[in-house]
Amino acid sequence: MSRTVDIQRINVQVEGETLQMRIPRADEPLYRDAATELRLTVNAYKDKYPNSSEMPNSGYLMMAGLDLAYRARLLSEQADTRAFASRLAALNREMEGFLSTIVTQG
């Protein structure tokens, strides 16, 4: 059975431009938070590299985009590692339990 997704149109401000988007209503807070994070990251790069003659506005936006994409990728890899580490710890506990029963029986 197919579920319909409630779609909504939102406007998000990024670098003086209004982006109109159609998104799932449930995702609105995430999109607004993402836009805020993008603005904060762009402003951090503007503070770090204030000479606008050396860096056009699009450069700040590209640097911020790359920074955010890097952080998303890093978090994704860390999440994968944590899942693996959790499973490995569980297997280790099972193995220790198994070995302790062999030692006590032998």
Side-chain angles (χ1 to χ4, degrees):
M1 177 176 215
S2 171
R3 286 182 42 185
T4 60
V5 177
D6 187 17
I7 300 294
Q8 127 180 30
R9 185 184 312 249
I10 65 169
N11 294 323
V12 178
Q13 295 287 322
V14 176
E15 282 300 283
E17 299 290 329
T18 300
L19 302 174
Q20 294 184 358
M21 304 171 69
R22 292 174 47 89
I23 60 166
R25 186 174 299 278
D27 292 344
E28 179 188 5
L30 293 173
Y31 276 94
R32 294 204 183 277
D33 289 347
T36 299
E37 186 65 29
L38 180 58
R39 281 191 298 273
L40 291 172
T41 305
V42 167
N43 288 336
Y45 277 108
K46 284 181 177 180
D47 290 343
K48 189 171 183 175
Y49 305 103
N51 190 350
S52 61
S53 66
E54 295 177 5
M55 178 71 67
N57 275 341
S58 61
Y60 293 120
L61 193 55
M62 287 185 284
M63 289 172 72
L66 182 60
D67 187 336
L68 293 171
Y70 167 78
R71 287 192 259 164
R73 183 70 182 135
L74 184 61
L75 286 173
S76 175
E77 287 183 9
Q78 287 174 345
D80 290 345
T81 301
R82 283 191 295 264
F84 177 72
S86 174
R87 179 67 179 137
L88 189 57
L91 290 171
N92 191 36
R93 284 190 300 274
E94 286 182 39
M95 182 63 82
E96 287 173 350
F98 175 72
L99 291 175
S100 68
T101 60
I102 291 175
V103 169
T104 57
Q105 291 175 357

